[in-house]
Amino acid sequence: MLRLVSLQILATLVAGVIAGLLGGWAAMFSAVLGGMCCVVPNGIMAFRLFASSQKMGGPNPATFFIWEFVKIALTLALLYATARLYHGLNWLALLGGFIVALKSYIILLFGHKQ
């Protein structure tokens, strides 16, 4: 789980640099904020699932579903807050950064050795 969140952070930074080169500072910040709207909830969920797996008796399956709901709600709240608070928002860069972070796990699939 930590590898996935670390990869999402790295992919977000790369997307931010590319957006910055193509669209300037506002696009760079928008892409990074979009990626962070995905990374932060995933990081919190990964931490909570790891913590629940360390409990005596093992993890509770309901924990996964509860934290998945919390992750989705937090993602939506962060996207809403970003749209309301960042006035120089570049929507294309924000969505690009979000999608890059969201789909960065594909890199792990190709890098996985049998």
Side-chain angles (χ1 to χ4, degrees):
M1 288 185 283
L2 179 61
R3 283 181 46 196
L4 177 61
V5 174
S6 300
L7 181 64
Q8 285 180 326
I9 292 170
L10 181 63
T12 296
L13 294 175
V14 170
V17 169
I18 292 170
L21 292 172
L22 295 175
W25 289 103
M28 181 190 73
F29 288 125
S30 296
V32 170
L33 287 172
M36 286 297 131
C37 288
C38 179
V39 172
V40 170
N42 283 340
I44 292 170
M45 181 179 174
F47 176 75
R48 291 302 307 156
L49 289 177
F50 175 76
S52 75
S53 71
Q54 300 302 311
K55 289 192 313 189
M56 194 107 156
N60 182 356
T63 303
F64 173 79
F65 292 108
I66 291 168
W67 281 103
E68 185 66 24
F69 175 76
V70 170
K71 181 180 84 165
I72 292 168
L74 185 56
T75 299
L76 292 174
L78 287 172
L79 285 169
Y80 177 77
T82 301
R84 296 284 293 169
L85 298 175
Y86 184 45
H87 299 292
L89 186 65
N90 180 323
W91 279 99
L92 185 60
L94 176 104
L95 292 175
F98 182 78
I99 291 170
V100 165
L102 190 63
K103 297 301 177 186
S104 63
Y105 69 89
I106 293 172
I107 297 170
L108 286 178
L109 291 176
F110 288 121
H112 183 64
K113 296 179 183 175
Q114 296 292 342

